[in-house]
Amino acid sequence: MGFQKVALLHSHQKLPAFHDYTISDLIDLCGLAACIRESVSRVAIPITPIDRRPLHTFERFLKRERPDLVGISSYTCTASSVPDYARLAKTHGATVIAGGFHASALPEEMLAIPEVDAVVRGEGEVTLNEFVRTGSPEGVAGMSYRNNGSVIHNPDRPVIADLDALPLPLRGIRPARFGLSGLDYN
């Protein structure tokens, strides 16, 4: 059986960004959310990249919402906080997957984090939806995972040839930042 309650987030930089306006508008997570919304009962983006206490905010979300799957996206400059998010998610019973540029480039490094169950490599839209529906990384193209102490790399998923076939990003689920939320981001 697949997953029903999904949380998607960006890992944060340990050092503050130069200026908050340089931070992501979360459109990539909104795109992933749009691709899985028909397969799940709830999808949320619990923290904003400018949250001053993101782990605290995330833990409050976990206690309140109890997601069964947490997807953590990271760049190389934010990868050092992935273990912190993964540990919190596991403590609250969630399956944890890592994705994003860093995880795609170094899936073994992400899978060396004991709390990370699987890695999405490359474009995540179709891969994440298949994983959410099946509940298992086995046979899902574009995923890596551990099995009996070994790392398994499923075949790469081809790039999405027709990006117009993807649903519009679910911008309405973005958390508040600068006093704006959802569709009000500018």
Side-chain angles (χ1 to χ4, degrees):
M1 196 62 177
F3 299 98
Q4 286 301 304
K5 294 169 67 177
V6 179
L8 302 172
L9 59 100
H10 281 237
S11 56
H12 69 277
Q13 290 180 217
K14 298 271 180 156
L15 298 172
F18 173 70
H19 192 280
D20 288 341
Y21 283 111
T22 64
I23 302 293
S24 167
D25 68 354
L26 304 173
I27 200 68
D28 53 342
L29 298 182
C30 295
L32 291 171
C35 289
I36 66 170
R37 82 170 150 201
E38 299 296 323
S39 302
V40 300
S41 62
R42 175 150 165 69
V43 59
I45 301 173
I47 57 173
T48 176
I50 63 163
D51 193 313
R52 298 298 178 216
R53 297 176 62 205
L55 292 169
H56 174 74
T57 301
F58 183 52
E59 186 164 29
R60 284 185 22 233
F61 169 84
L62 290 168
K63 287 177 182 176
R64 187 178 64 249
E65 298 295 329
R66 308 299 272 175
D68 50 4
L69 176 65
V70 171
I72 307 167
S73 180
S74 68
Y75 296 101
T76 299
C77 62
T78 66
S80 63
S81 65
V82 170
D84 300 329
Y85 288 105
R87 210 170 0 267
L88 278 174
K90 273 298 185 192
T91 300
H92 291 276
T95 296
V96 178
I97 60 172
F101 292 109
H102 191 80
S104 292
L106 299 168
E108 291 90 358
E109 179 181 299
M110 287 290 112
L111 288 168
I113 301 166
E115 296 84 4
V116 172
D117 298 299
V119 170
V120 174
R121 302 182 326 270
E123 296 174 331
E125 290 81 359
V126 177
T127 303
L128 179 61
N129 190 31
E130 187 175 338
F131 177 65
V132 162
R133 285 186 289 105
T134 64
S136 170
E138 292 180 37
V140 177
M143 291 200 80
S144 297
Y145 61 100
R146 284 186 308 275
N147 186 8
N148 295 324
S150 297
V151 173
I152 308 295
H153 297 289
N154 293 340
D156 292 337
R157 182 172 297 278
V159 296
I160 300 168
D162 181 10
L163 295 178
D164 290 333
L166 295 175
L168 291 174
L170 253 171
R171 291 178 174 92
I173 68 170
R174 292 183 285 194
R177 80 171 190 180
F178 307 127
L180 304 171
S181 62
L183 298 174
D184 297 330
Y185 273 40
N186 57 23

